[in-house]
Structure formats: structure tokens, C-alpha cells
Amino acid sequence: PAVVDKTNFPLSMVIGQEAIKSALLLAAVNRDMGGVLISGGRGTAKSVMARGLHALLPPIEKIKGSAYNVDPAMPEEMDSELRAKLIESGQNLEDLETEIVEAPFVQ
């Protein structure tokens, strides 16, 4: 079988597509954007750019078992299910176990 290289092409090496690169970088630093939808013709480096950015993103810390990747440093963004669990158990968010996971990526 053929060997597949899993190395991602660096985002900075893509020529052109400045608007898409800027949108991806802005979304990476501003979580309030909610994401970026990239559309375009075949062969315009859409997936290459998305994978290149994903390779740059650091892993994230989340509450272990959280269905919504709750950030332990952002209690104001806690979902109602976890909030109810904490109230029922009498625990604080800091009491829960955390885990480190790769940054989410949807393609």
C-alpha cells in the first residue's frame, strides 16, 4: 500500500487567498466569531488552508466528559446540564477533573 504523508502544508505557504487566510486567523483568536465557512471551486486550497490552521492551534483543556467542551476557565459559558450536575452534587467547577484534547476541527 502507498504511504500517505500526514504532514500539513503550512498556511503561510499558500499563495493568494488572503481573505480566507485572514478569516481563518481571526476565527482562531476570536471565539465569538463562531467559525468560518469556506467555499470555492475545486483546487483553491480550501482544505489545505483549514488543515494548515488546525496544525497551528494548541490543545485545549476541557471538563472531562463534557458534551460541550466546557472550558474550566470560563464558568460563565457552562451549559445548563453541567450547571445542574454541579448544583446537585454541591461541587464547584474547579472540583471537576479536566482533560487536554486536540482543538476541534470540522471539515
Side-chain angles (χ1 to χ4, degrees):
V3 176
V4 177
D5 183 9
K6 297 280 185 181
T7 306
N8 290 310
F9 195 75
L11 182 63
S12 62
M13 297 297 291
V14 174
I15 306 296
Q17 306 291 11
E18 299 307 318
I20 295 173
K21 287 193 276 188
S22 293
L24 287 169
L25 291 170
L26 287 169
V29 298
N30 183 355
R31 61 191 286 166
D32 293 335
M33 283 184 61
V36 174
L37 176 65
I38 303 172
S39 66
R42 186 175 176 162
T44 55
K46 299 176 301 291
S47 295
V48 170
M49 288 186 285
R51 285 190 210 108
L53 176 70
H54 184 252
L56 297 174
L57 297 175
I60 60 171
E61 182 178 18
K62 70 175 198 115
I63 299 296
K64 189 170 187 168
S66 168
Y68 302 101
N69 290 340
V70 173
D71 183 345
M74 306 281 286
E76 65 277 4
E77 295 184 0
M78 186 183 347
D79 61 279
S80 58
E81 188 177 306
L82 181 58
R83 190 175 312 280
K85 176 183 171 184
L86 288 175
I87 291 169
E88 183 179 303
S89 68
Q91 292 180 302
N92 292 317
L93 193 58
E94 304 85 42
D95 299 331
L96 299 178
E97 187 177 354
T98 62
E99 63 183 338
I100 304 295
V101 296
E102 260 189 53
F105 178 63
V106 178
Q107 183 177 346

